[in-house]
Amino acid sequence: MGKKYKIFFSAGCSVFMLVFLILPGFSQESWLNSLKEADRYRLFSEKGFSFEYRLTDKGETSTMMVYLKNTDRSVVLCVYTAPPELVGRKIFMDGNSFWLLDKRMQDPIRISARQMLFGQASAGDITRILFSDSYKVLEGKKDGPVIILELAAQPGKEISYPRVRLELNDADSRPVKAELYAATGTLMRTIYYEKYKTINNKILLTQFRVVNELNKEESIIELDKFEEKTLENRYFSREGMKALK
């Protein structure tokens, strides 16, 4: 992939490794429930929905609209709306399949999870709205006011970061921090969940900061314009993304 196909898209999503501490009243089921509660801060609607994703990186900003399919929230189509040179570029994700369609291309090209790592924020993980869709809880620990979960990719899931260490506020399971690890164990990125807002009577994540641990560069991601409407199902396919204008 050349530079022009770098994808400034990120997620959400994280994996961690630490020692499991068994405390009275806590079980594997309770850790899983905490993870599902954490997911609700990204879940605007039980069905498909849409929102604007705005990334500021090195003083430059790019935006895209993110659409989740009504019948399957794990199927996602993203359309760039700025800057001008990226307008019209699309990213489609269906399970382990990722497709990129640039406005100068006749047909979309298949992108691997590894290629999705280009840019400060990875499209492969940002399009995965819910942790529990892609990860399982291996271990958990309560450390004062914080719950720490060690996550691992579910079998068969092609994910950019196979390990995540996720920190949640114990009082309400609100995500605080996530560390994303490569398969080698190297810490690649740290996500700091910084702002939440009440929208339609739901508390939603609206801003997070991504730190590239390899070069310490930072990106700010803002989520806005949440709507319950999304695209028609016919656009959520390799061929359908070509028809969307």
Side-chain angles (χ1 to χ4, degrees), residues 68-220:
L68 284 70
K69 189 176 181 180
N70 253 325
T71 53
D72 187 347
R73 291 193 306 262
S74 67
V75 179
V76 181
L77 181 60
C78 310
V79 182
Y80 278 89
T81 57
E85 61 268 24
L86 292 180
V87 171
R89 177 176 294 182
K90 304 179 186 75
I91 301 168
F92 173 61
M93 185 191 82
D94 184 1
N96 293 339
S97 299
F98 300 91
W99 299 88
L100 171 67
L101 180 65
D102 190 78
K103 56 188 175 183
R104 293 174 293 275
M105 297 164 53
Q106 291 186 338
D107 293 296
I109 58 174
R110 180 77 179 266
I111 305 297
S112 69
R114 182 178 180 82
Q115 288 171 315
M116 295 295 266
L117 287 168
F118 287 113
Q120 285 296 95
S122 150
D125 288 299
I126 294 178
T127 50
R128 298 183 191 276
I129 301 298
L130 307 180
F131 284 106
S132 56
D133 281 351
S134 304
Y135 294 96
K136 60 183 178 180
V137 180
L138 291 184
E139 299 172 348
K141 163 181 174 176
K142 189 175 182 298
D143 184 8
V146 175
I147 292 174
I148 303 174
L149 300 179
E150 175 190 339
L151 309 180
Q154 294 180 13
K157 291 286 186 179
E158 186 179 350
I159 298 175
S160 303
Y161 305 102
R163 296 175 47 220
V164 174
R165 181 180 182 274
L166 180 62
E167 296 185 11
L168 310 176
N169 186 323
D170 181 34
D172 54 12
S173 296
R174 186 178 303 195
V176 177
K177 174 185 174 182
E179 296 176 352
L180 285 62
Y181 292 85
T184 60
T186 302
L187 175 60
M188 302 295 290
R189 287 177 173 82
T190 301
I191 301 176
Y192 297 92
Y193 300 99
E194 298 180 325
K195 292 185 180 181
Y196 292 82
K197 184 184 297 183
T198 300
I199 303 174
N200 284 16
N201 297 317
K202 297 179 180 180
I203 301 175
L204 298 175
L205 173 69
T206 56
Q207 181 176 306
F208 55 99
R209 177 166 48 97
V210 180
V211 178
N212 185 328
E213 296 294 349
L214 302 183
N215 57 23
K216 296 304 178 181
E217 292 181 350
E218 298 188 5
S219 301
I220 300 294

Side-chain angles (χ1 to χ4, degrees), residues 12-28:
C13 302
S14 317
V15 178
F16 342 85
M17 202 72 178
L18 38 94
V19 179
F20 181 43
L21 177 61
I22 300 178
L23 297 176
F26 290 89
S27 65
Q28 200 72 4

